[in-house]
Amino acid sequence: MNMKEIISTIEKINENYDHSSHLELQNFAEEFIGLLNSGQIRAAEPKLDGTWQVNEWVKLGILLLFKYGKLIDMSINKHFNYFDKHTLPLKPMETKDGIRLVPGGSSIRTGSYVAKGVICMPPMYINIGAYVDSGSMIDSHALVGTCAQIGRNVHLSAASQIGGVLEPIGTRPVIIEDNVLIGGNCGVYEGVMVRENAVLGSGVILTASTPLFDLPNERIIKSDENGPLVVPEGAVVVAGARAIKGKFAEELGLSIYSPMIIKYRDEKTSRRIELEDLLR
């Protein structure tokens, strides 16, 4: 199928699911998963002008896979029990794919694109609809959620979480652009975009409702009805805090978590993350 045909098929099945035949659903599932696995279609894609186009029909197709799938036993043996929808097995991979999947409890679900040169350290998980580009590392206990978009040469440090999204269907996926370093125990959720060359220090949490304090430029960055929270290109973000106003809070010395941009990436910052190259 070409792009127009797959979109038309998804819309047709969604509108007439109860009247769709088993053969029609099976053919759709195989074709759709194949296109996701190869990276030919994705939940969001970059445009030449630097903006991103969100393809809501991809998420709708994934939801149809869940709806159509029947729970079956996919256990490897009696010591490795595994039960899931028949439409959502593990991603088929071979050594020629050039993905370094280190043993120790990692899983990559089918319907995700993982490019050549990606390193997966155990245990980690990449969910359906995700797109992980070449040269990136998914470190131990890290998660790439449904439809999350990960660029080239990104390092997701240990225990970092990139949130997934399927419902509501119009919600934007998390987008991490090229050459981003995400520190340990970070969380990026709810459609946040991290522009290229940015650095998130350990423990930074970003959501759609999180204000980001840009200290060098003396401004507050927020999401609004026109777009997501965007971490600017080259920004270095750390987990900070700010005082809570009010007599009671002030008496107790209370503060609230506030991520802050403390600088923008320079040559010195880049040298500090060269260790990633030694791991490839």
Side-chain angles (χ1 to χ4, degrees), residues 257-274:
Y257 163 75
S258 300
M260 302 177 182
I261 299 174
I262 56 169
K263 61 180 290 187
Y264 282 81
R265 191 164 167 177
D266 54 21
E267 184 180 351
K268 182 178 179 181
T269 313
S270 298
R271 285 200 301 267
R272 288 175 60 87
I273 64 172
E274 284 179 354

Side-chain angles (χ1 to χ4, degrees), residues 15-165:
E15 293 173 1
N16 303 282
Y17 182 83
D18 293 336
H19 300 287
S20 299
S21 68
H22 171 74
L23 180 61
E24 184 179 13
L25 290 168
Q26 186 62 35
N27 288 341
F28 154 71
E30 292 176 358
E31 182 78 16
F32 184 64
I33 289 174
L35 292 171
L36 287 171
N37 277 329
S38 66
Q40 295 179 65
I41 61 174
R42 51 194 294 190
E45 54 189 302
K47 312 304 289 184
L48 293 177
D49 62 359
T51 61
W52 282 73
Q53 173 182 306
V54 176
N55 298 321
E56 295 180 10
W57 56 270
V58 172
K59 288 179 286 181
L60 179 57
I62 292 172
L63 288 172
L64 289 173
L65 291 179
F66 279 96
K67 186 174 184 178
Y68 168 54
K70 302 295 187 293
L71 188 65
I72 63 172
D73 185 348
M74 300 185 187
S75 302
I76 296 174
N77 54 48
K78 65 179 182 179
H79 303 294
F80 193 112
N81 292 322
Y82 168 31
F83 309 99
D84 205 349
K85 298 292 186 76
H86 82 280
T87 50
L88 304 168
L90 294 176
K91 180 179 176 70
M93 295 193 301
E94 303 177 68
T95 53
K96 67 180 182 181
D97 295 324
I99 300 167
R100 182 180 164 198
L101 181 58
V102 181
S106 297
S107 294
I108 303 176
R109 206 173 203 172
T110 196
S112 59
Y113 174 74
V114 183
K116 187 174 183 178
V118 171
I119 300 173
C120 301
M121 298 300 291
M124 63 93 238
Y125 185 65
I126 299 174
N127 210 345
I128 188 170
Y131 188 103
V132 183
D133 218 332
S134 59
S136 291
M137 172 181 279
I138 315 301
D139 216 333
S140 301
H141 298 282
L143 165 70
V144 180
T146 50
C147 298
Q149 305 292 299
I150 309 297
R152 295 183 179 88
N153 304 317
V154 171
H155 189 146
L156 297 185
S157 298
S160 57
Q161 306 283 298
I162 306 301
V165 57

